[in-house]
Amino acid sequence: MKMVRAFARLYSTAFKPGASVSILAQSHPTDSATNLSASVLTRIPRRLHLVQNHPINIIKSRIEAYLRATNPGYAIVDSLNPVVSVKQNFDQLLIPKDHPSRAPTDTYYVNKDTVLRCHSSAHQLEVMASKASNVGYLLTADVYRRDEIDLSHYPVFHQMEGIRLFDRKELLKETVTDVFQPLPKGAKVTDPTGLSNPETNPIQPAHTQPDSEIVGAHLKRVLEGMVYDLFGSDQSLEIRWIEAYFPFTSPSWEMEVMYQGKWLELLGCGVVQQELLDASGNSDKIGWAFGLGLERIAMVMFGIPDIRLFWSEDPRFLSQFENHAAQPNITFQPYSKYPACYKDVSFWCPEGFHDNDMFEVVRDMAGDLAEDVALIDTFTNKKTGKTSKCFRINYRSMDRTLANDEVDAVQERVREEIARRCGVDLRG
């Protein structure tokens, strides 16, 4: 945890030593590693994936329906607590100790031992160890990452993970029990990756080549069918597979989809590391897993241009999805486009400064009034070695026109908090 402590000065919020924070009615101690922000804490109870007729819930339900049609034995898991241990979030998934995702610039630390989950995979061992299903699990969760501010990034988003398990002694028998509809006539699937590559996408030593390839082939067939079920109304739909690397699967792949004329990186997947199955009490199993982002699919499928809209409670947004069962091919109709108001802030950066430091301050002070933040200038003073950065903040409300005086007041609070919380020296 040396990395966490080293950056504590930059990322800690207003929590006093010995204080606690309440998350979903549970109290958690804070310490020098705590870097939670008020804007994120207010989002935790929302759980958009459980809100009926919300676009996130619609995509979740469609994927669940497709997979349970192939095999009704999948257990649905969607209400697990977002506070998990560092062990669950990183160690159990074989994520290296020096991996960048562990840094407090990327992860929200509740304290040195617990975090807000960064991915749904933080629960992978937990759900497999429950043995609630002998088929598999469909796990959906709100996940949290410190990130930039723009139209496609938000500190809270939603992931869905599918896990399919097979008895190693009955593998062939169990793979053929799943029911698949044939892909549409003329379906375009490009797969130069095969089912393994000893140099670039190896089979695990714990698996035989036939077993690993049976599981990999089953995985790809399931996901190809799922994508055509979701996006099949687009006659130009194409799928292509590329090799990938994930610590918790091998072989591993990513799927890209040509939808409405653009390639979309849709999901990652692979054969589950046997070490994870063994650790969860499933040594007699072999399986696959995939993970995808629900916002990414919903934005493309429904034509939603701004990720902030998912958090809107404006009926003009939510009402557009009420009849999704009768009208599955919904296209979001923008109800307004209010003018932007740009404000710049420049400062000298302290040692160890990360752009995500500033983004957290902007989210806390401006909330969803900040549409995006862009770095427009940077230079280093050759004499002092100090670096100056200038960011441009685009303020734009989704439901009203902002007055310049209002934005000026927000901007002043942003400047004050950047100086206080990030230790920068403001310029101008």
Side-chain angles (χ1 to χ4, degrees), residues 56 89 149 322 361 366 399:
I56 299 298
N89 202 70
I149 300 176
E322 290 177 349
V361 173
D399 52 24

Side-chain angles (χ1 to χ4, degrees), residues 200-267:
T200 59
N201 208 14
I203 290 170
Q204 299 169 44
H207 297 157
T208 67
Q209 182 166 342
D211 283 1
S212 181
E213 292 189 348
I214 289 170
V215 173
H218 187 275
L219 164 66
K220 289 185 173 184
R221 180 63 183 85
V222 168
L223 296 180
E224 289 165 3
M226 182 187 77
V227 166
Y228 269 94
D229 186 71
L230 284 172
F231 298 100
S233 60
D234 183 354
Q235 298 301 311
S236 64
L237 181 68
E238 292 183 47
I239 293 173
R240 69 183 179 194
W241 290 98
I242 60 175
E243 289 184 354
Y245 167 77
F246 306 108
F248 29 83
T249 57
S250 186
S252 303
W253 301 274
E254 288 180 348
M255 177 195 277
E256 296 182 343
V257 173
M258 172 69 80
Y259 181 66
Q260 296 181 350
K262 296 181 180 179
W263 282 107
L264 168 69
E265 186 181 300
L266 191 68
L267 56 83

